Amino acid sequence: MSHSRQALVVHPAAPDMEESHRTALSECIDAALTCAQACTTGADACLEEPEVAALRQAMRAQQNCAAICSASAQILSRFGSDFGPTPASVLRALDDLSTLCEDACRVHAGAYPHCRVTAEACARVRAAIVALFAAV
């Protein structure tokens, strides 16, 4: 069980949440945190490549994706009884920026393994978002 999942289980508001929602929420948080790390490392790896200028768009996308993933994980982790439903706008922004990042990194995935890793992390976030919307 991930730390995100454990935190959601022991949260005082946990009994108010359906199990399927709690599972989908924890998986989305975990995917966002993993993606933030992959994007941060991916952008740094791009800086080390000899053709760094060709990777500029991917690096910016990775930096933006890392930022929205981190912020989204924080927001999604706050679900006390007065919070209300998961803000759809947060999930839409996360989906939009992770899509842009995945697309930008897929262009370079064949030549740069770190771009492939980032694109795959973005795809996992997007799948977790779909599952979370389905659970609410």
Side-chain angles (χ1 to χ4, degrees):
M1 182 181 300
S2 73
H3 286 102
S4 298
R5 174 81 178 148
Q6 289 176 28
L8 293 178
V9 168
V10 301
H11 193 289
D16 298 335
M17 185 180 285
E18 295 285 331
E19 182 58 31
S20 61
H21 184 203
R22 183 179 15 256
T23 297
L25 180 59
S26 67
E27 289 173 1
C28 193
I29 292 167
D30 288 340
L33 291 171
T34 298
C35 190
Q37 186 278 325
C39 287
T40 299
T41 302
D44 188 67
C46 287
L47 288 170
E48 296 298 320
E49 295 295 348
E51 298 297 323
V52 70
L55 296 167
R56 187 172 290 131
Q57 182 180 3
M59 287 186 289
R60 286 196 177 117
Q62 290 168 331
Q63 291 172 332
N64 289 338
C65 191
I68 193 70
C69 284
S70 295
S72 296
Q74 291 175 34
I75 292 167
L76 294 173
S77 295
R78 296 191 276 275
F79 69 97
S81 58
D82 61 343
F83 184 79
T86 302
S89 59
V90 171
L91 295 174
R92 284 193 300 275
L94 179 58
D95 185 58
D96 287 348
L97 287 173
S98 61
T99 298
L100 290 172
C101 186
E102 180 181 3
D103 292 347
C105 291
R106 287 254 182 248
V107 171
H108 305 286
Y112 302 105
H114 49 83
C115 287
R116 178 188 48 78
V117 169
T118 301
E120 290 170 357
C122 291
R124 282 192 298 275
V125 165
R126 293 177 56 231
I129 293 167
V130 169
L132 182 54
F133 272 129
V136 252

